Each structure stands twice: as C-alpha cells, then as structure tokens.
Amino acid sequence: MILSEPKPWEEIEGYLEEDDSVFLLGCDGCDAATGDGGAERVGELSEKLEEGGWDVTGTKVIEFLCNKALAGMKLARVSDLVEASDSLLVSCCGIGVQAVSKLVDKQVHPANDTVSMGDFHGTWPSEETCKRCGECLLDYTGGICPLTMCVKGLLNGACGGSYEGRCEVEPDRPCGWELIYERLRDVGRLDLLEEYNPPKARQKYQFGVPMENRNSLYWALEAEEE
Amino acid sequence: MSTLKDKLEAGEFAITCEAGPPKGVDVEEEIKEVEEIADLVDAFNVTDLQSSAMRMSSVAMCRLLEERGLETVYQMTCRDRNRLALQSSLLGAWALGMENVLALTGDYTTLGDHPDAMPVFDLDSVQLLETIGALNGGEDMVGNELEGSPQFFPGAAANPGADPLKPQILKSRMKADHGARFFQTQAVYDPEVFATFMEELRDAGVETPVMVGILPLKSAGMARFMDANIAGVVIPDVVIKELSDADDAVQKSIEICSRVINETADLCEGIHLMPMGWEEYVPEILDGTKL
C-alpha cells in the first residue's frame, strides 16, 4: 500500500503562481484509500482552488493513475478540458504524478508527499519509480523524479559527467537532468531550474512508514492481517 | 592566507595544478615532482579519490604539501561522505591549514576500482557550497554555532564542453549564487567552445573568475581512451588526429597545451593544469605561452 500525505496548501499555492487555470486529477487507488487522492480530496482541493481565484477547468478521479495505459485512455476523454488548462494538479503518489506528466504536455503539480510505497510500485510495469522521500520535488522537475532518474540523486542540476544527454554511469542510460531540462523547456518553465533545492530530510524515509501514519486505516488493516 | 584568493580577487592571472595522492603510502615521489614546479604554480589541487579509485585521502596529501610551504586546493566530493562527515572533514582541513576548497559532486562509484562501494551523495555540489558558506559564517548547516569558524575560499567545477550548454550555464550560475568564488573547468581543447561558454556565462550575469582546464594528452591512444571513458572529458577528433600524425607525440602534446592556453588566456582569469603524471612537462607547456 502506498501512503501519501497531503502537501501543505501554501506549498501547492506556490506551485500555481504562474497558472490561471488548473485541471484537477485524483487517484482512486491507494491514495483514495488513505484519503489523499479520491473524490473527497479532489472536491476539497477544487473548492480551495476556486476560493483562491483559480479557474478549475475540470476534475477527474481515475482508478490507479499509475496505470498509464488506462489513465491515458480516460484522460483522452477530457483532453479538451486538459488542453484548456495552464497546468494539472495531481493528487496521487509520486508514481502517478510522473505517469501523468508523461501523458500530457503541461506542467504537472504534485498535491502530495509520498511517504511509503510498501514495496509496491504501482499497477503498471513502467519506468516511473518513487523513492517515497516525503518531500515530493516533482513540481520543480517537470514531473520527472531526480532521485530515481539521476543515479546520484542530485537535486540541483546535472553533474559534470553527462554528455549528449547520456549518464556517465551507463552510456545507454539517459541523464535524468537532461530529461528534466527538456521537459521544463517544452512546458516553458525553465525558470524552475533556477530554484535551489536544499538537502533532503533523509530521516523522512529511513524508517518506512512514519510513526504518525501508522494509525491510518490501511496501516491498521495490514497490521491486522499479519 | 590564500595566494589563489588574493590573486583572483585582485584580478591577477592565477595558475593551479592538479596533484594526485598516491595509491599507497609512498608520497615522496609525488611531492618531489610537485616541488619541482612549485615556483610556476599558485596552488596545487589535491584530488579526492579521482575517478572513484581508492587512494590516500586528499586532506592528508594537502597537509603534506602545506607543511612544505605549498598552497593547496582541497578537493572534496560528495560521493563518499554524508553531511556529518563532509562538515567534519572541512573543519579538520581548516585546522590543518587548508584555505581553498573545491566542491565537487564526484564521479559515480561504479566508474572506479571499488564498483561495489556504497555511493553516498547525501549532498550535491551546490548544497556543499552552501554548507561551506554556513561554516564560514560560524554555524554548521543546521544553524548550530561553531567554536571558531573557517574562512574557506570555495570553488567549483564547470564543464565548457557540456552539450547542451544552457543547463550547464544555469548550474554554474547556481553554484556562483551559492558560494563558488572561482571556477576550474574540465579540460579544454577547442578554444571556440571555451569562448562560447565564457560568453554565455558572462551573459548570464556570472562574473566569478574562471580558470581554464588544461590536460596534456600523452598519445592519440590516451586521447581516444579518455574521450570514451573519462566522465566529463570530450576530445575533438582533429586534436586526436594531430597527435596520431605527429612524429613526436610528446612535443605535439606540449604544443597543443601551449596553443590552447594562448587562445583562451585572454578570455578568463587563470589556468588549471591537470598533468596526470606529466608534471615534468609543465615548465615547457608554460614556456610555450605568452604568459
């Protein structure tokens, strides 16, 4: 079971500074079960967005956003609304946010911090992985995770070893920061590369599920099953 | 007191040269080679397990050189130490007399001779620069007060040959914004590539002094090997051809280095030599220049 925590509203507001209209997407999988993704959360976020003066072009809740094939088909049915939006706000785990950013040519903002994957990596075999760092950076990096796509997990741009878009470690591995650069260039947000990302709070993911989340419904259910 | 800092801040041309610690404990040979060219160089960069190959620590080698009156640039990578160890090593380095530090990300562990080692990368080079700034300001990176603080002169690396160049410029600007007060570049062979880099860097508002990287290629074979295997190093085919066509590869290599220095020196604030065991040819390389 993947556990996410809602990001503080102030952080989400900050992500949306450049945008006037937002399409809101929720996940009806793990995140719905923990209350961080489903219809209820999407409703709350929608209300907050409207209060804050954003034009919510549409909302949709899709079961398991990590399932790129299915999510892509379902998103295609609202492509007009997505197309009319400046960006998407996605209430899901890190995998879902990355999957959505592969499916749309828009900036994708994460609404949650993923804190535990429970050794589960989504319902669809794909290259998107989440390190459940508890401090989701996908907003700054165009929906491509620097912790998993850069072998060194660098947070402030490529190292000096990449060349022609390839990683220094393996010639056929793409440089994660090159992918991030291209993505941000394509969505017109290269300004995000000027943001300094401070060191990670490593304690957030050294122990798996944080203590305060162990009381959540799913943690209790799983512990009960054992 | 740092001659490198004084020179670069006074707008004088500065020269640094790389010195690699031995794989083992016999330091005399390297020290002798370095001492022979000491008059030509402002400071010696001591590498930190370069290419992820296990060697004597940079801080120990720096101290051995400082004891002999040679100024050093303590190279520090983020590959092998977490934030506790990085800060602790920095405090120790200052106490042992090192004033210049070069903050690097570090090559990946699998490129070296201990490919199964745990890669750390707790911080990245920008965060390391920020951390050095905190220590200089009398606090550790989480704000605890220090009993006496260092006054490091921090530098960073840049890669003029990066392709595409724009992200490299953005990253260099970030390094400058977060404390880099000088740049030493990867080896340059194409002065035009370097000129473009400098132009874009200055256009991006980065006025930090830049020292152009000069690395003599010992043969066409070495050039090809480095081009293919050394992270961050790109050698143009025309330079490789020049070497393979030459009757005397050593002389040709020296000539190429002198030529690159002559064609780039006016664009930047210093040169950074990486002789890779060819310390003995440093005087000839410099003799062949207008410096």
Side-chain angles (χ1 to χ4, degrees):
Chain A
M1 180 54 55
I2 299 173
L3 275 183
S4 298
E5 292 177 332
K7 278 184 179 287
W9 175 246
E10 299 69 42
E11 199 176 325
I12 296 173
E13 272 185 319
Y15 293 163
L16 299 169
E17 261 173 23
E18 304 279 316
D19 308 328
D20 298 321
S21 56
V22 182
F23 187 89
L24 192 46
L25 199 54
C27 177
D28 217 11
C30 311
D31 292 281
T34 55
D36 300 321
E40 199 181 329
R41 176 93 201 285
V42 165
E44 277 169 30
L45 284 169
S46 176
E47 231 167 81
K48 279 192 168 163
L49 284 172
E50 274 167 359
E51 272 169 31
W54 279 280
D55 173 19
V56 179
T57 52
T59 66
K60 191 159 185 67
V61 180
I62 294 177
E63 215 164 75
F64 292 105
L65 275 175
C66 52
N67 185 337
K68 248 189 307 185
L70 206 56
M73 281 159 66
K74 290 188 174 173
L75 265 180
R77 288 161 60 186
V78 287
S79 59
D80 289 359
L81 298 175
V82 170
E83 204 44 54
S85 317
D86 290 329
S87 68
L88 287 83
L89 178 61
V90 181
S91 191
C92 188
C93 69
I95 298 176
V97 176
Q98 292 176 69
V100 172
S101 89
K102 283 264 171 63
L103 297 169
V104 298
D105 300 326
K106 302 268 175 187
Q107 174 74 338
V108 170
H109 310 284
N112 294 337
D113 288 323
T114 303
V115 292
S116 170
M117 304 300 296
D119 288 333
F120 177 61
H121 285 267
T123 58
W124 192 253
S126 66
E127 60 192 343
E128 291 85 27
T129 50
C130 173
K131 272 234 168 132
R132 38 137 174 55
C133 71
E135 300 175 303
C136 188
L137 278 171
L138 289 168
D139 192 72
Y140 301 104
T141 55
I144 296 167
C145 180
L147 290 178
T148 57
M149 289 305 287
C150 166
V151 288
K152 298 178 185 175
L154 303 181
L155 301 183
N156 290 291
C159 70
S162 64
Y163 184 65
E164 287 180 346
R166 298 188 309 268
C167 174
E168 73 176 26
V169 177
E170 293 164 343
D172 52 358
R173 186 186 167 106
C175 166
W177 275 98
E178 170 80 10
L179 299 178
I180 291 169
Y181 170 76
E182 287 173 0
R183 168 79 184 169
L184 290 175
R185 183 194 59 201
D186 294 348
V187 296
R189 291 302 308 271
L190 279 179
D191 60 298
L192 290 169
L193 283 183
E194 294 172 31
E195 300 266 345
Y196 169 69
N197 284 307
K200 279 286 194 194
R202 309 276 181 200
Q203 64 169 330
K204 287 202 171 171
Y205 55 103
Q206 18 183 348
F207 305 118
V209 180
M211 201 56 89
E212 64 267 27
N213 286 96
R214 296 188 183 188
N215 297 323
S216 73
L217 174 66
Y218 257 87
W219 179 262
L221 274 179
E222 288 188 353
E224 203 63 27
E225 279 166 18
E226 281 163 16
Chain B
M1 86 155 228
S2 164
T3 308
L4 182 64
K5 172 175 181 264
D6 290 348
K7 274 200 164 179
L8 290 177
E9 291 193 340
E12 287 174 44
F13 203 78
I15 300 178
T16 52
C17 179
E18 209 169 78
K23 191 176 184 76
V25 294
D26 296 340
V27 292
E28 289 314 316
E29 197 182 324
E30 179 64 17
I31 289 175
K32 191 168 150 273
E33 282 179 4
V34 158
E35 278 184 319
E36 275 172 16
I37 55 168
D39 293 343
L40 303 171
V41 169
D42 296 304
F44 288 97
N45 274 61
V46 180
T47 49
D48 181 15
L49 281 62
Q50 191 171 25
S51 300
S52 306
M54 195 287 292
R55 287 166 173 272
M56 179 184 284
S57 71
S58 173
V59 74
M61 190 69 188
C62 279
R63 174 63 189 174
L64 290 166
L65 297 185
E66 294 275 350
E67 277 172 1
R68 287 160 175 82
L70 305 172
E71 185 168 321
T72 58
V73 179
Y74 172 38
Q75 294 198 181
M76 175 172 250
T77 76
C78 298
R79 177 191 53 236
D80 308 311
R81 280 161 291 194
N82 69 8
R83 64 192 78 182
L84 289 166
L86 289 169
Q87 293 177 96
S88 164
S89 297
L90 282 163
L91 296 182
W94 178 263
L96 289 171
M98 281 127 253
E99 296 183 43
N100 310 305
V101 54
L102 187 73
L104 302 165
T105 300
D107 297 325
Y108 201 65
T109 38
T110 54
L111 304 182
D113 62 358
H114 288 56
D116 291 324
M118 164 78 100
V120 180
F121 302 109
D122 183 24
L123 304 186
D124 63 28
S125 55
V126 181
Q127 295 162 347
L128 178 57
L129 285 163
E130 186 74 18
T131 301
I132 294 166
L135 298 178
N136 280 352
E139 290 180 347
D140 66 18
M141 65 184 287
V142 295
N144 297 312
E145 202 180 321
L146 303 177
E147 288 170 31
S149 62
Q151 289 304 316
F152 283 115
F153 183 54
N159 185 4
D163 178 19
L165 188 55
K166 168 103 176 164
Q168 178 66 205
I169 299 293
L170 289 172
K171 178 134 190 180
S172 300
R173 184 163 71 188
M174 187 176 277
K175 286 177 174 178
D177 288 347
H178 289 272
R181 287 160 71 185
F182 67 96
F183 284 108
Q184 291 174 323
T185 79
Q186 296 279 10
V188 169
Y189 297 96
D190 186 339
E192 274 182 39
V193 165
F194 184 70
T196 307
F197 167 76
M198 288 304 294
E199 199 182 319
E200 299 228 354
L201 190 70
R202 298 310 185 215
D203 282 351
V206 181
E207 296 301 327
T208 312
V210 173
M211 308 179 78
V212 58
I214 303 293
L215 190 159
L217 300 162
K218 293 176 185 173
S219 66
M222 173 196 178
R224 279 188 211 102
F225 176 83
M226 290 190 51
D227 185 54
N229 296 297
I230 305 295
V233 176
V234 181
I235 299 162
D237 291 342
V238 25
V239 171
I240 297 177
K241 185 163 188 313
E242 242 187 296
L243 279 168
S244 60
D245 289 351
D247 295 331
D248 185 340
V250 175
Q251 278 311 309
K252 179 52 78 179
S253 177
I254 291 167
E255 186 192 310
I256 292 170
C257 288
S258 305
R259 184 181 71 210
V260 175
I261 292 172
N262 278 334
E263 290 176 16
T264 54
D266 292 338
L267 304 169
C268 61
E269 289 69 33
I271 57 176
H272 174 56
L273 298 157
M274 294 169 272
M276 313 276 277
W278 262 18
E279 284 81 356
E280 59 181 299
Y281 297 113
V282 166
E284 251 185 282
I285 291 172
L286 294 175
D287 274 349
T289 69
K290 60 188 177 184
L291 298 176

